[in-house]
Amino acid sequence: MGIAAIFKKELRAIFASPVAYVVMAVFLALSGYFFWGFLARFTFYSIQASMNPAIGGGVNIMELVLGPLFQNMGIVMLLMMPLFTMRLFAEEQKAGTMELLLTYPVRDGAILLGKFLAVVVLLGCMLALTATYPILLMAWSAPEPLPILAGYLGLLLAGTAFLSLGLFASALTENQIVAGSLAFGALLLIWVLGWSADLAGGTVGKILGHLSFLNHFEAFARGIIDTKDLIYYLNVTALFLFMTLKAVEARRWRA
Amino acid sequence: MIEVEGLTKFYGPKAAIQEVSFQVARGEVVGFLGPNGAGKTTTMRILACFMPPTSGTARVAGFDIGKDSLQVRRRIGYLPENVPLYGDMTVRQYLTFAAEAKSVPRQERGKRLASVMERCLISDVSDRLIRNLSKGYRQRVGLAQALVGNPEVLILDEPTLGLDPKQIIEIRSLIRDLRGERTVILSTHILPEVAMVCQRVIIINESRIVAVDTPENLNLRLQKSSRILLEVDGPAEEVQKALAAVEGVLTVAPQEARDGRRRFLVETDREQDLRKDLARAVTSNGWGLTELRPVDLSLEDIFIRLVTREEEA
Ligand SMILES: Nc1ncnc2c1ncn2[C@@H]1O[C@H](COP(=O)(O)OP(=O)(O)OP(=O)(O)O)[C@@H](O)[C@H]1O
Ligand SMILES: [Mg+2]
């Protein structure tokens, strides 16, 4: 009951503000640009392959178009998710509506889950819109559907992990810009960890690589579901939701 | 209905409230009275389970605010001091949300919303955005969301703050109507308001409770002396001397003159009735006595006295 009330209220607020539409439009435009780029490259290779039998069946649409597209969408998503989450708690804390909300007979956990689910739905909408690109592909080739679905599952899981981190940042402050910057910085840092992993090598490199958000995305982008990656994203999401809960509880103490 | 025991809340080293204890019976309307910064909002926030106290306990409707916070929250309606509402919702959307969050059954929701909006006189703005409402209407929407869960207890922090006189009267009569039906605790620093709507007053000053009583009793209890106003036709200084000479008189304060007649405020020992002696003192000197009546201490005077007395102590 409580979760549903919060969820509906947040969903209404999200779709009443221009932020959701602008972010979705930008995301759609960027991924469209990448799609077009990879598709052009793919066409070029396939023409070459058809002329040079030595390369033969080496051209694969998942490998050359959708895989890279998913990779790039993951990165763009990482950069944009803070825009979805930054207002969730910060706005209420600033406006003081948090005071009233916290005296309603709704558990703190239900409040944050309601908010979280609302942005997950928004993320789902955004990803669903990008499905136009693979569907376009189906018009003149026959890509396998399962790897594509795996790719989308990966995007959704990675996205929810980004959202949970953003939600946590939002619970820490009453300033939306601060919440956005915090989430943005943290996400970038965890992403960049993957690069240093290659440099560091050894055990440190392994640990860093394991922490990196996007390393766990690679298999998904290739259309492969690895339980290790799945569990990683679910763990990250659960961890940040738990930290958000603690942050909301701490708000009460400091109020 | 509300039992508060030794509530203390510290902000850093500074105490916002200290050892606050009181009780409110079912159906009672109680006023929480105190100057700015006394700790009214702090107490109400704790009772509404917005934040925990540093120490002490409170029970609302039989449930502990710490251990059974959810049970308490099911039974209260809270109106915060600055009425924080979601500006981008319409009144109806907002009240629907509040009703849902307060678990009002779906089939009752429509009826409940209609009755609450009617009661708070906001039916005519039900489809306006809250952001565009005037302060008075926002206050009523705040009251409506407090009432929508049909709570046993209402906690209202300065419900008439920032309203125009007409709106103040409306809100007050609305609160008075709740008497007997719900338990209400409201804070204010407007004194006449307390006398008008509350059956009992809790006076708080500098983080501590200084008095709890009915408005009438406070009037009686706190008059250490009674005051008598006399209007005398005679030479000011001599009259003053004659009055001061009467046994039992504590002070004589001359007031402004009117048509050559002087008015004196005489403060006397509460135990004795000196009206006859004062009259005799005037007439035996050959002056004319045109008026003689006892003056009640207003609640305002009491408040100021209480508060200043506390400071001296
Ligand atoms: N969040 C806070 N952090 C630090 N101090 C606070 C905080 N909230 C309140 N205080 C302090 O606690 C004391 C009591 O404040 P409170 O708001 O309860 O007073 P009040 O009686 O409601 O006053 P008013 O009539 O102005 O509303 C004040 O001295 C205030 O400065
Ligand atoms: Mg206050």
Side-chain angles (χ1 to χ4, degrees), chain B residues 35-42 81 157-158 187 189:
Chain B
N36 289 125
K40 304 183 292 291
T41 300
T42 306
E81 186 167 15
D157 201 351
E158 310 220 10
S187 80
H189 42 233

Short mmCIF file of all heavy atoms in Angstrom, two decimals, chain B residues 35-42 81 157-158 187 189, ligand 2:
data_model
loop_
_atom_site.label_atom_id
_atom_site.label_comp_id
_atom_site.label_asym_id
_atom_site.label_seq_id
_atom_site.Cartn_x
_atom_site.Cartn_y
_atom_site.Cartn_z
N PRO B 35 7.00 31.31 23.55
CA PRO B 35 7.61 32.28 22.63
C PRO B 35 8.45 31.57 21.57
O PRO B 35 8.63 30.36 21.62
CB PRO B 35 8.49 33.12 23.55
CG PRO B 35 8.79 32.25 24.70
CD PRO B 35 7.63 31.33 24.87
N ASN B 36 8.98 32.31 20.63
CA ASN B 36 9.81 31.73 19.58
C ASN B 36 10.99 30.98 20.18
O ASN B 36 11.62 31.44 21.12
CB ASN B 36 10.37 32.83 18.66
CG ASN B 36 9.28 33.43 17.79
OD1 ASN B 36 9.08 34.62 17.79
ND2 ASN B 36 8.56 32.59 17.09
N GLY B 37 11.25 29.82 19.62
CA GLY B 37 12.42 29.06 20.06
C GLY B 37 12.22 28.34 21.36
O GLY B 37 13.18 27.81 21.94
N ALA B 38 10.97 28.27 21.86
CA ALA B 38 10.73 27.64 23.15
C ALA B 38 10.86 26.12 23.06
O ALA B 38 11.19 25.46 24.04
CB ALA B 38 9.34 28.00 23.65
N GLY B 39 10.60 25.58 21.90
CA GLY B 39 10.68 24.12 21.75
C GLY B 39 9.36 23.48 21.36
O GLY B 39 9.20 22.27 21.45
N LYS B 40 8.42 24.27 20.90
CA LYS B 40 7.11 23.74 20.51
C LYS B 40 7.24 22.80 19.31
O LYS B 40 6.78 21.66 19.35
CB LYS B 40 6.15 24.89 20.14
CG LYS B 40 5.97 25.92 21.23
CD LYS B 40 4.97 26.98 20.82
CE LYS B 40 5.45 27.87 19.69
NZ LYS B 40 6.55 28.78 20.04
N THR B 41 7.87 23.31 18.26
CA THR B 41 8.01 22.50 17.05
C THR B 41 8.78 21.22 17.33
O THR B 41 8.41 20.14 16.87
CB THR B 41 8.71 23.32 15.95
OG1 THR B 41 7.91 24.47 15.68
CG2 THR B 41 8.90 22.52 14.69
N THR B 42 9.82 21.35 18.12
CA THR B 42 10.63 20.17 18.46
C THR B 42 9.76 19.11 19.12
O THR B 42 9.80 17.94 18.74
CB THR B 42 11.77 20.59 19.40
OG1 THR B 42 12.50 21.65 18.79
CG2 THR B 42 12.69 19.41 19.68
N GLU B 81 4.81 23.06 10.74
CA GLU B 81 4.75 24.51 10.90
C GLU B 81 4.67 25.26 9.56
O GLU B 81 3.84 26.12 9.39
CB GLU B 81 5.99 24.95 11.68
CG GLU B 81 5.98 26.41 12.06
CD GLU B 81 7.05 26.71 13.09
OE1 GLU B 81 7.94 25.87 13.30
OE2 GLU B 81 6.98 27.78 13.70
N ASP B 157 0.98 22.26 14.18
CA ASP B 157 2.00 23.24 14.56
C ASP B 157 1.63 24.60 13.96
O ASP B 157 1.74 24.79 12.76
CB ASP B 157 3.36 22.76 14.06
CG ASP B 157 4.50 23.41 14.83
OD1 ASP B 157 4.23 24.34 15.61
OD2 ASP B 157 5.65 22.98 14.66
N GLU B 158 1.23 25.49 14.81
CA GLU B 158 0.82 26.85 14.42
C GLU B 158 -0.15 26.84 13.24
O GLU B 158 0.15 27.37 12.17
CB GLU B 158 2.06 27.68 14.08
CG GLU B 158 3.10 27.57 15.18
CD GLU B 158 3.80 28.88 15.49
OE1 GLU B 158 3.35 29.94 14.99
OE2 GLU B 158 4.77 28.85 16.25
N SER B 187 0.04 24.12 18.58
CA SER B 187 0.96 25.09 19.15
C SER B 187 0.63 26.46 18.60
O SER B 187 0.05 26.59 17.52
CB SER B 187 2.39 24.73 18.79
OG SER B 187 2.69 25.16 17.48
N HIS B 189 1.71 31.00 19.32
CA HIS B 189 2.12 32.00 20.30
C HIS B 189 1.12 33.14 20.34
O HIS B 189 1.42 34.22 20.82
CB HIS B 189 3.57 32.47 20.13
CG HIS B 189 3.98 32.70 18.71
ND1 HIS B 189 5.09 32.12 18.18
CD2 HIS B 189 3.41 33.40 17.73
CE1 HIS B 189 5.19 32.48 16.93
NE2 HIS B 189 4.20 33.26 16.62
MG MG C 2 7.86 26.29 15.86
#
